[in-house]
Amino acid sequence: GAGVSQTPSNKVTEKGKYVELRCDPISGHTALYWYRQSLGQGPEFLIYFQGTGAADDSGLPNDRFFAVRPEGSVSTLKIQRTERGDSAVYLCASSLTLRGQGQNEQFFGPGTRLTVL
Amino acid sequence: AQTVTQSQPEMSVQEAETVTLSCTYDTSESDYYLFWYKQPPSRQMILVIRQEAYKQQNATENRFSVNFQKAAKSFSLKISDSQLGDAAMYFCAYRTTYNNNDMRFGAGTRLTVKP
């Protein structure tokens, strides 16, 4: 497919468990973003990758959240010791990063709905 | 810090009519980008329209147009000839020109289209 894909579509877990959420960006997109969207809210920025490195992780709420992008393509968002408050839709987006252009459009995936019981 | 406010949690419109969704924002920057995204039940955020702050002309995309009032920091979306497929959550978003990843979203407006 040509768009951003995310797996799983839905994830139900128990409090205290570890979860991994996967994002496949659009081929060739060097920038990748993770957002969290709580019920009734707009997406909130979590972390941004430029290539393999996390260029900005200021949105991660605490050290239970971690994300990797080892080969500069697929990214995994990891949440340790999940809490009920982590329940949300986790959105991934990707974009080109063209030098001199500040309006690189972010293309979003369908998200993963995480439910922590 | 930049904030985006959407004061209408829900709006409804009759099919074929026109509806306007409101958005205000707060920033100290002079140059930035503003966006309207549509999020249907499939959850995928779809870019509807984009406005660059340094451009005075309001952006238009087919049935979608914006009323950008820079001094008032207002960025409303007008949907003309509303269609059933327009029903969705609509999010207004702000992004600075120097930080591609710093995108701030409003809380959204749920649009219902009545047949």
Side-chain angles (χ1 to χ4, degrees):
Chain A
V4 178
S5 62
Q6 292 186 245
T7 54
S9 178
N10 292 281
K11 175 71 177 178
V12 180
T13 191
E14 294 180 343
K15 179 176 178 295
K17 299 291 187 182
Y18 167 83
V19 296
E20 290 189 351
L21 312 179
R22 176 186 168 109
C23 172
D24 282 84
I26 292 173
S27 178
H29 281 191
T30 55
L32 185 145
Y33 316 79
W34 283 99
Y35 294 85
R36 180 168 69 176
Q37 186 176 17
S38 300
L39 190 63
Q41 299 296 318
E44 293 180 303
F45 168 77
L46 294 177
I47 186 169
Y48 157 61
F49 287 89
Q50 184 57 247
T52 60
D56 183 351
D57 64 358
S58 61
L60 294 178
N62 51 61
D63 61 6
R64 296 186 298 103
F65 288 74
F66 189 70
V68 296
R69 196 186 184 198
E71 298 179 357
S73 178
V74 171
S75 176
T76 304
L77 178 66
K78 308 181 181 191
I79 310 174
Q80 298 176 322
R81 303 183 304 279
T82 52
E83 300 177 357
R84 292 193 179 87
D86 298 335
S87 296
V89 173
Y90 290 82
L91 295 168
C92 176
S94 70
S95 74
L96 293 169
T97 306
L98 302 177
R99 188 177 298 278
Q101 292 196 17
Q103 59 167 349
N104 301 311
E105 179 181 346
Q106 294 186 22
F107 293 84
F108 284 80
T112 293
R113 182 181 299 281
L114 175 66
T115 303
V116 182
L117 301 177
Chain B
Q2 298 89 357
T3 59
V4 179
T5 302
Q6 294 178 250
S7 58
Q8 307 154 316
E10 296 184 357
M11 291 283 285
S12 67
V13 62
Q14 204 72 34
E15 193 176 7
E17 298 293 310
T18 296
V19 64
T20 299
L21 308 184
S22 301
C23 173
T24 59
Y25 58 95
D26 184 29
T27 184
S28 58
E29 302 292 329
S30 60
D31 200 12
Y32 44 87
Y33 298 99
L34 295 165
F35 307 84
W36 277 99
Y37 280 89
K38 172 185 178 181
Q39 187 178 43
S42 65
R43 297 197 304 247
Q44 190 147 10
M45 301 280 280
I46 302 164
L47 179 64
V48 173
I49 199 165
R50 168 177 46 217
Q51 175 79 41
E52 297 165 60
Y54 68 88
K55 290 185 177 178
Q56 293 185 343
Q57 186 173 5
N58 289 323
T60 63
E61 284 289 340
N62 301 312
R63 298 182 295 107
F64 299 87
S65 61
V66 298
N67 183 4
F68 174 46
Q69 301 290 327
K70 191 172 184 180
K73 296 179 182 175
S74 170
F75 182 61
S76 60
L77 174 70
K78 184 171 82 172
I79 306 174
S80 304
D81 186 25
S82 297
Q83 300 176 0
L84 295 178
D86 294 335
M89 285 291 292
Y90 285 82
F91 291 94
C92 177
Y94 165 103
R95 200 188 80 210
T96 65
T97 55
Y98 59 85
N99 192 348
N100 194 47
N101 52 294
D102 191 8
M103 183 108 83
R104 307 295 176 103
F105 289 84
T109 297
R110 181 176 302 281
L111 178 66
T112 303
V113 181
K114 299 178 180 178

